[in-house]
Amino acid sequence: MSTVVSVHQLHKAYGPVKAVDGIEFQVSQGEILGLVGPNGAGKTTTLECIEGLRQPDSGTLRVLGMDPWLAGPALKQRIGVQLQTSALPLRLKVAETLDLFASFYQRSLPALPLLEQLGIADKRDAAFGQLSGGQKQRLFIALALLNDPEVVFLDELTTGLDPQARRAMWDLVLDIRRQGKTVLLTTHYMEEAERLCDRVAIVDHGRIVALDSPAALIRSLSAEKRLIFALPVSAAAPSLTHLPEVSRIERNGDQLIVYGQGDHLINNVVFALDQAGLLTGDLRIEQATLEDVFLALTGRKMRE
């Protein structure tokens, strides 16, 4: 696959604050790359530099072979951008908005099928000020896709959307990738990044602290699995620590939590419980997720 986006030693500071401090990565054609990180980590600044909306202090950027800051309209005809924060005149109607933005491009997709795909076709005659927050978000996504872009930038794609609309957006992003397009997105939803992205870059303090596929990042954590099953308070906890895969056991009321690692952990624990006559239907298995990796690398302390 050819390289569509190339970022080398990107730096951007605001006074004494280093918003982006030497970020590097490449994105191939047809790939979905996600940038995740705490608030203020530098994700949006990085995206805005790649989009040509903000001039970097130093570094080399190429999008479709062009310098995004110098290419101007030549690049903007070929990319689609959904910003983290956007606004439109309150009285401007949805259909009017699409017609206006379509006039900016040499080519554009038919508006109605795009609105139908995003579930807002019935709002085409509604004014922007009459739309709900989720409907506004979907309109901005429609505008980002209107010119049938080769590269799509989505900054906080599903913020403000309900679970049903969020899943619909996930399907849309995967459909964009199936068309051979390249997607760069930022998100605070780790499940979203895990479901959508071929690779995820975890950004903290302006640097990439990890970059790999979600599955590889989770494996790198070497986190324990948790097997949780119901056990009456009156029943004695079984002895499972003789199993080499089991590291510890915790009792929490009418639940027993078994921690451990290894490919045979689940089978061996279930077999031991069955042999002890304690196996119940209320058995839940929890494994490490991308959120566990994120917290391990960036910490649990809240940031402004």
Side-chain angles (χ1 to χ4, degrees):
M1 285 289 185
S2 61
T3 299
V4 173
V5 177
S6 176
V7 180
H8 178 68
Q9 281 296 308
L10 176 62
H11 290 264
K12 181 65 181 177
Y14 302 102
V17 179
K18 293 182 178 180
V20 182
D21 189 17
I23 279 181
E24 294 191 6
F25 61 84
Q26 293 183 334
V27 190
S28 299
Q29 181 183 355
E31 183 179 18
I32 301 176
L33 177 74
L35 300 177
V36 304
N39 290 328
K43 306 183 300 297
T44 293
T45 299
T46 298
L47 218 58
E48 289 177 347
C49 289
I50 300 171
E51 294 161 351
L53 299 176
R54 196 174 296 275
Q55 185 175 18
D57 296 334
S58 62
T60 302
L61 300 176
R62 292 292 182 270
V63 180
L64 296 169
M66 293 178 273
D67 183 320
W69 184 251
L70 300 177
L75 180 60
K76 290 178 172 57
Q77 291 290 328
R78 300 172 64 186
I79 65 173
V81 177
Q82 174 254 324
L83 300 173
Q84 188 179 90
T85 304
S86 303
L88 290 167
L90 296 180
R91 295 185 180 180
L92 192 64
K93 294 182 179 180
V94 169
E96 293 172 340
T97 303
L98 289 162
D99 287 343
L100 174 63
F101 275 70
S103 70
F104 301 155
Y105 300 114
Q106 295 171 359
R107 63 170 186 163
S108 60
L109 297 173
L112 185 57
L114 196 55
L115 294 178
E116 289 174 342
Q117 188 176 18
L118 291 164
I120 51 173
D122 60 333
K123 298 295 180 181
R124 58 185 178 273
D125 294 323
F128 178 75
Q130 297 174 323
L131 302 179
S132 68
Q135 290 165 347
K136 291 176 181 177
Q137 181 78 338
R138 282 179 274 173
L139 173 58
F140 289 125
I141 295 168
L143 297 176
L145 301 177
L146 186 60
N147 61 324
D148 194 20
E150 298 168 57
V151 186
V152 184
F153 298 92
L154 303 170
D155 199 353
E156 301 297 342
L157 166 70
T158 58
T159 297
L161 299 184
D162 58 52
Q164 185 180 37
R166 180 174 295 129
R167 295 301 177 101
M169 290 303 102
W170 293 359
D171 291 341
L172 175 64
V173 172
L174 293 174
D175 185 57
I176 291 171
R177 197 260 303 277
R178 280 191 287 269
Q179 297 172 34
K181 302 178 189 298
T182 303
V183 180
L184 271 75
L185 62 86
T186 72
T187 181
H188 282 299
Y189 299 108
M190 294 303 109
E191 182 188 4
E192 182 166 285
E194 195 170 338
R195 291 285 190 92
L196 294 180
C197 299
D198 298 299
R199 290 187 299 148
V200 173
I202 300 179
V203 183
D204 198 21
H205 299 294
R207 292 177 175 270
I208 291 179
V209 296
L211 172 59
D212 212 327
S213 68
L217 288 172
I218 292 169
R219 284 196 303 270
S220 71
L221 189 61
S222 298
E224 295 177 317
K225 296 184 178 73
R226 299 178 292 274
L227 279 67
I228 305 169
F229 64 96
L231 184 68
V233 176
S234 58
S239 176
L240 298 172
T241 52
H242 66 284
L243 298 175
E245 298 85 2
V246 174
S247 58
R248 69 187 193 278
I249 298 174
E250 290 181 3
R251 185 74 181 256
N252 182 15
D254 61 353
Q255 287 187 333
L256 196 71
I257 307 172
V258 181
Y259 295 84
Q261 291 180 318
D263 295 336
H264 302 292
L265 171 69
I266 297 171
N267 287 341
N268 289 347
V269 169
V270 169
F271 179 76
L273 293 174
D274 187 42
Q275 290 293 100
L278 293 172
L279 187 60
T280 69
D282 187 10
L283 173 65
R284 187 169 77 253
I285 301 168
E286 295 181 353
Q287 303 194 59
T289 65
L290 190 60
E291 183 169 320
D292 295 315
V293 180
F294 177 87
L295 293 173
L297 292 174
T298 64
R300 296 175 178 270
K301 185 177 179 181
M302 292 183 64
R303 306 185 192 179
E304 295 181 357

